Amino acid sequence: MTNPKELKIEDFDYELADERIAKHPLAVRDACKLLVRDGDGRLTDHVFRELPGLLPAHSMLVCNNTRVINARLRFRKAGGSPIEIFCLEPHEPADYERAFAATDSCEWQCFVGNSKKWKHGVLYLPLEVDGHELTLTAERVERLGKASVVKFTWDCPDVTFSRIIEAAGEIPIPPYLNRSTEESDAEDYQTVYSVTEGSVAAPTAGLHFTPELLNELRDSGVDVEELTLHVGAGTFQPVQTEHVGDHPMHAEFISVNRVLIERLSREERPVIAVGTTSVRTLESLYHAGAMMLRGKWNGEVEQWEPYEEGIEWPTPKEALKAVVQWLDERKMDRFLASTRIIIAPGYTYRIVKGMVTNFHQPQSTLLLLVSAFTKGDWRAMYNHALENDYRFLSYGDACFLKE
């Protein structure tokens, strides 16, 4: 078995010219190219709207319904210096629902742009939200490594923080697009099924779906289900260490309905994940259950948990039933947790039998995940895409990987 900690990230590099990166999506979401890779490595070219005829019969398609927030707020100091605050995740209150529902103040972990110009003091941003005039203030109260805890306050109890960032913030498109956020990104950078606010980056494989395509999938016998993983800023960042074992994974919040977990524990449908975020959530469910069965569960799937040695791993059904039992004992209808799981060559997939995903950055953890699923045969697929004018990264084309 491959030890992922010993992998050199330089072995997951390829040349990606800027002109191959899609700067905008196609006008019609499901008109993009779709490269299909069978389990034996055979590659065929398709169009995304052909997906209903390509999925296994009676499969379960699992999507991430997270919604990207307008995480980038632009303040200006009294002296004129621009200060950009990029909201990463709630700090106090720590859960997303309560933070977005706050009506006077909340604290968030943030990246601060032009940070040297803001060593202390309060920033002010006059706003009009839903007909209410108010002032949003920001004060840095703590540093957490490269991030800061920023306390936001505002003087209008009729307005929630959710409405404030919706009105004042910008969609944080990926930096590799090398352009400013445009008005069209507010719609283009959301999936059509996005519901639950919390991500600072889109689950981009889902951007190709249209309501019509989803209906066609359901009519063809595919069961379309949803879960939530709030995508953090580190998801799309290249690994910057020589060995994968030295790369720290960031924690991400997941939420899965008990009914879906119970169905996964008893039904025989092939599970197809839409995007690497759905992959990580589904596989984290298995490892959460495995940790419960060993009396080890503490609310988080740790980065290297899947690679523990000397363990008799449970079957997927056993692990998922453990999660269901854990929820039932606590009378909870949703499984809430965080995950730092890293999926790299040497990983054994437990739940996912196929995935729809985009083409990822060189030397990224997302490329490691794809390599693990293809048993290391990712390069032939990427070479084919490069040679056949596929568009890469968030607004680019897609691939469908079969087990």
Side-chain angles (χ1 to χ4, degrees):
M1 172 176 153
T2 303
N3 183 347
K5 293 184 180 182
E6 296 176 358
L7 293 171
K8 289 188 174 182
I9 196 62
E10 65 183 17
D11 293 333
F12 299 87
D13 196 14
Y14 68 94
E15 187 174 345
L16 180 61
D18 184 68
E19 59 265 22
R20 304 310 301 272
I21 300 172
K23 300 303 181 4
H24 296 86
L26 298 180
V28 180
R29 289 179 181 241
D30 60 3
C32 72
K33 292 181 179 182
L34 177 68
L35 179 58
V36 177
R37 183 190 185 277
D38 290 334
D40 60 4
R42 186 172 66 97
L43 302 172
T44 53
D45 301 299
H46 296 267
V47 177
F48 197 85
R49 65 169 61 100
E50 298 175 28
L51 187 63
L54 298 169
L55 291 178
H58 306 296
S59 55
M60 178 186 290
L61 190 72
V62 182
C63 307
N64 182 6
N65 67 7
T66 189
R67 186 167 181 81
V68 183
I69 63 173
N70 289 6
R72 183 174 283 121
L73 294 164
R74 298 186 187 276
F75 288 79
R76 189 171 292 276
K77 288 188 65 179
S81 299
I83 306 293
E84 178 183 294
I85 298 178
F86 190 112
C87 298
L88 298 174
E89 61 183 75
H91 184 76
E92 180 59 42
D95 71 84
Y96 286 85
E97 187 173 342
R98 290 173 58 208
F100 286 126
T103 55
D104 54 4
S105 68
C106 56
E107 295 180 4
W108 281 68
Q109 294 181 32
C110 305
F111 287 146
V112 178
N114 208 8
S115 181
K116 293 181 180 178
K117 297 289 186 180
W118 186 37
K119 294 181 179 178
H120 53 79
V122 178
L123 304 177
Y124 298 88
L125 182 63
L127 297 172
E128 183 175 332
V129 182
D130 297 333
H132 300 280
E133 293 187 357
L134 59 93
T135 298
L136 177 67
T137 67
E139 181 179 8
R140 183 154 48 190
V141 296
E142 184 182 351
R143 293 183 185 270
L144 296 174
K146 295 181 179 180
S148 298
V149 176
V150 175
K151 182 175 183 178
F152 297 102
T153 59
W154 57 101
D155 51 359
C156 183
D158 295 324
V159 177
T160 64
F161 189 68
S162 174
R163 291 295 301 128
I164 285 175
I165 60 171
E166 186 176 340
E170 296 178 9
I171 284 282
I173 61 172
Y176 50 65
L177 293 184
N178 292 318
R179 65 171 176 82
S180 300
T181 300
E182 300 173 7
E183 186 175 342
S184 59
D185 292 312
E187 181 177 349
D188 290 342
Y189 202 56
Q190 302 281 11
T191 64
V192 296
Y193 46 75
S194 63
V195 176
T196 309
E197 291 181 309
S199 282
V200 299
T204 56
L207 297 180
H208 306 295
F209 288 88
T210 65
E212 294 78 15
L213 182 60
L214 289 167
N215 287 334
E216 185 179 344
L217 285 163
R218 295 185 181 99
D219 291 342
S220 70
V222 173
D223 182 16
V224 181
E225 297 287 347
E226 297 179 0
L227 45 69
T228 303
L229 179 145
H230 288 323
V231 189
T235 295
F236 302 110
Q237 295 300 314
V239 177
Q240 296 179 332
T241 58
E242 180 181 358
H243 291 92
V244 172
D246 296 322
H247 175 74
M249 291 290 285
H250 56 288
E252 292 176 305
F253 169 85
I254 62 175
S255 172
V256 188
N257 191 289
R258 179 208 173 280
V259 174
L260 174 56
I261 303 172
E262 201 275 332
R263 289 191 60 197
L264 288 166
S265 74
R266 61 179 169 79
E267 296 187 7
E268 299 296 336
R269 291 173 177 262
V271 177
I272 312 299
V274 176
T276 57
T277 59
S278 296
V279 171
R280 294 205 304 279
T281 304
L282 289 165
E283 294 296 312
S284 293
L285 279 178
Y286 169 85
H287 286 287
M291 293 171 73
M292 290 172 184
L293 289 171
R294 303 202 310 275
K296 187 183 174 183
W297 179 241
N298 63 359
E300 179 175 287
V301 178
E302 298 162 4
Q303 179 168 341
W304 300 108
E305 171 64 25
Y307 309 95
E308 291 279 343
E309 297 180 349
I311 294 173
E312 184 177 342
W313 293 102
T315 66
K317 290 186 181 298
E318 289 170 343
L320 293 169
K321 286 178 179 177
V323 178
V324 173
Q325 181 179 345
W326 187 89
L327 290 172
D328 289 346
E329 290 171 352
R330 290 157 181 78
K331 296 182 172 55
M332 297 170 62
D333 60 3
R334 297 195 71 82
F335 178 67
L336 307 176
S338 64
T339 181
R340 296 181 187 268
I341 192 171
I342 185 168
I343 298 178
Y347 180 84
T348 300
Y349 277 85
R350 309 288 182 169
I351 308 294
V352 174
K353 302 301 181 184
M355 72 177 76
V356 177
T357 188
N358 282 11
F359 294 95
H360 305 295
Q361 284 182 286
Q363 300 192 20
S364 64
T365 59
L366 307 185
L367 189 54
L368 292 173
L369 182 152
V370 169
S371 180
F373 193 84
T374 60
K375 305 296 190 292
D377 189 32
W378 65 272
R379 195 175 293 277
M381 181 173 64
Y382 273 58
N383 285 342
H384 179 95
L386 289 166
E387 293 165 3
N388 289 274
D389 297 322
Y390 278 72
R391 304 159 74 245
F392 277 62
L393 306 187
S394 295
Y395 279 147
D397 296 317
C399 53
F400 172 34
L401 312 181
K402 299 181 180 181
E403 187 180 46

